[in-house]
Amino acid sequence: MKRIKYKADLDAQQLQWFQRQVLDWYRREGRDLPWRKTMDPYHIVVSEILLHQTTVKTVQPIYEKFLDTFPTIQDLAAAPLEAVKYITDPLGYKVRGSWLHQIAQTVVNDYAGQFPQTLEELLALPGVGRYTAGAVLSFAFGNDAPIVDTNVNRFIGRYFGIEYKRTNAEIQHQLWAVAEAIVPTGQAREFNNALMDMGAMVCTARKPYCLVCPVSQSCIQLQDDGVRAAEERVQYRIRERAQGS
DNA sequence: AAACCGGGGAA
DNA sequence: TTCCCAGGTTT
């Protein structure tokens, strides 16, 4: 795989290989998470907003408690804001409780309880940016919509040789363009989850597990780091394993 | 483009 | 202690 900046740089053959490797790995090693058992857009939105800058482990019990307390979007819309914040505030970023409350009221009052299914309408909801909108479109509605969260940002940034740590507009545009170009037709739900799990479990922020990465052989970042860095990375993980996780 | 919001876990 | 976490909004 060559270093790419635009989707025109993608080689169709190599892209197909990449998609296959990532999907196969996901079917073997992917995480089984509560919000992956549903396609209800209400459940998806709740999970995604709770997951903003918040770890999966921290969110899981809160997610269960939230839906247990507000089983339907009508329940959430009718609840007092304080009851919502009581559950969500302990996570930090305390504005998220009111975001969810407002979203519920908007969907119930303006959309007859049915979530909007267009990018534009979703982006108009409070607390819903490009990532969350893409998550709803792909996870709930099965659209071939891309997502770029911190995991995807890092994984495809490294693999395709994009300077993912820089936050300027051009880099972000490139990452989104690549994320959109690599989604396999009709498989966005599974593939987007796979990309996130790769970022969370293999292509980690610190000390990535290149040793067990299914696409390491064509990773630009690994090539740039060189053989010596790659070897050190492997040795680090071997020592770690010897000490017993 | 940079600041801001935040508690919690891992290194 | 620092770094990082399924981001988005405001300045």
Side-chain angles (χ1 to χ4, degrees):
Chain A
M1 187 68 77
K2 297 176 301 184
R3 179 185 306 273
I4 76 162
K5 287 192 172 179
Y6 308 98
K7 63 179 180 181
D9 299 329
L10 281 170
D11 178 88
Q13 196 77 8
Q14 293 179 327
L15 173 57
Q16 197 172 0
W17 175 86
F18 175 85
Q19 292 166 331
R20 169 61 67 87
Q21 295 301 312
V22 169
L23 283 170
D24 283 353
W25 173 86
Y26 177 65
R27 285 161 192 153
R28 286 196 317 271
E29 311 285 346
R31 294 173 293 184
D32 186 22
L33 301 171
W35 42 88
R36 288 181 177 169
K37 297 177 163 85
T38 178
M39 291 178 62
D40 184 334
Y42 169 54
H43 294 194
I44 298 296
V45 165
V46 169
S47 71
E48 295 302 340
I49 288 188
L50 295 184
L51 284 162
H52 287 177
Q53 293 291 288
T54 311
T55 56
V56 164
K57 177 179 289 188
T58 303
V59 167
Q60 261 191 36
I62 305 296
Y63 169 80
E64 308 282 6
K65 182 176 179 183
F66 189 99
L67 290 182
D68 199 47
T69 308
F70 313 110
T72 71
I73 195 167
Q74 286 78 12
D75 294 325
L76 179 57
L81 177 59
E82 312 311 321
V84 182
K85 289 175 65 64
Y86 178 77
I87 296 178
T88 58
D89 277 3
L91 288 174
Y93 287 111
K94 302 180 182 177
V95 71
R96 290 182 290 181
S98 59
W99 280 349
L100 283 169
H101 195 238
Q102 286 179 246
I103 289 171
Q105 296 188 331
T106 299
V107 171
V108 168
N109 296 329
D110 299 350
Y111 292 97
Q114 303 299 311
F115 259 86
Q117 302 194 28
T118 68
L119 180 61
E120 184 182 2
E121 289 172 304
L122 287 169
L123 289 176
L125 299 171
V128 177
R130 185 81 192 273
Y131 163 75
T132 305
V136 172
L137 289 174
S138 61
F139 298 146
F141 300 127
N143 293 9
D144 287 336
I147 56 168
V148 178
D149 74 327
T150 186
N151 293 306
V152 179
N153 179 72
R154 182 176 56 246
F155 176 41
I156 69 177
R158 282 172 176 163
Y159 181 80
F160 292 106
I162 301 167
E163 296 179 43
Y164 65 95
K165 287 183 180 176
R166 307 245 310 219
T167 58
N168 67 62
E170 187 184 351
I171 298 290
Q172 287 306 306
H173 178 77
Q174 289 175 6
L175 285 163
W176 276 98
V178 171
E180 180 174 25
I182 64 179
V183 173
T185 304
Q187 301 184 82
R189 179 187 164 95
E190 200 170 15
F191 188 72
N192 284 342
N193 277 322
L195 289 180
M196 285 197 288
D197 276 8
M198 280 295 299
M201 302 166 68
V202 176
C203 200
T204 49
R206 290 175 289 198
K207 308 282 187 182
Y209 294 76
C210 304
L211 180 60
V212 297
C213 175
V215 294
S216 63
Q217 69 182 63
S218 47
C219 174
I220 299 294
Q221 181 67 57
L222 192 54
Q223 288 175 22
D224 286 354
D225 288 351
V227 175
R228 190 166 58 85
E231 182 63 21
E232 286 176 4
R233 208 163 286 168
V234 169
Q235 292 303 326
Y236 176 87
R237 290 302 179 186
I238 291 176
R239 283 200 303 277
E240 183 183 62
R241 176 172 299 187
Q243 292 171 3
S245 72

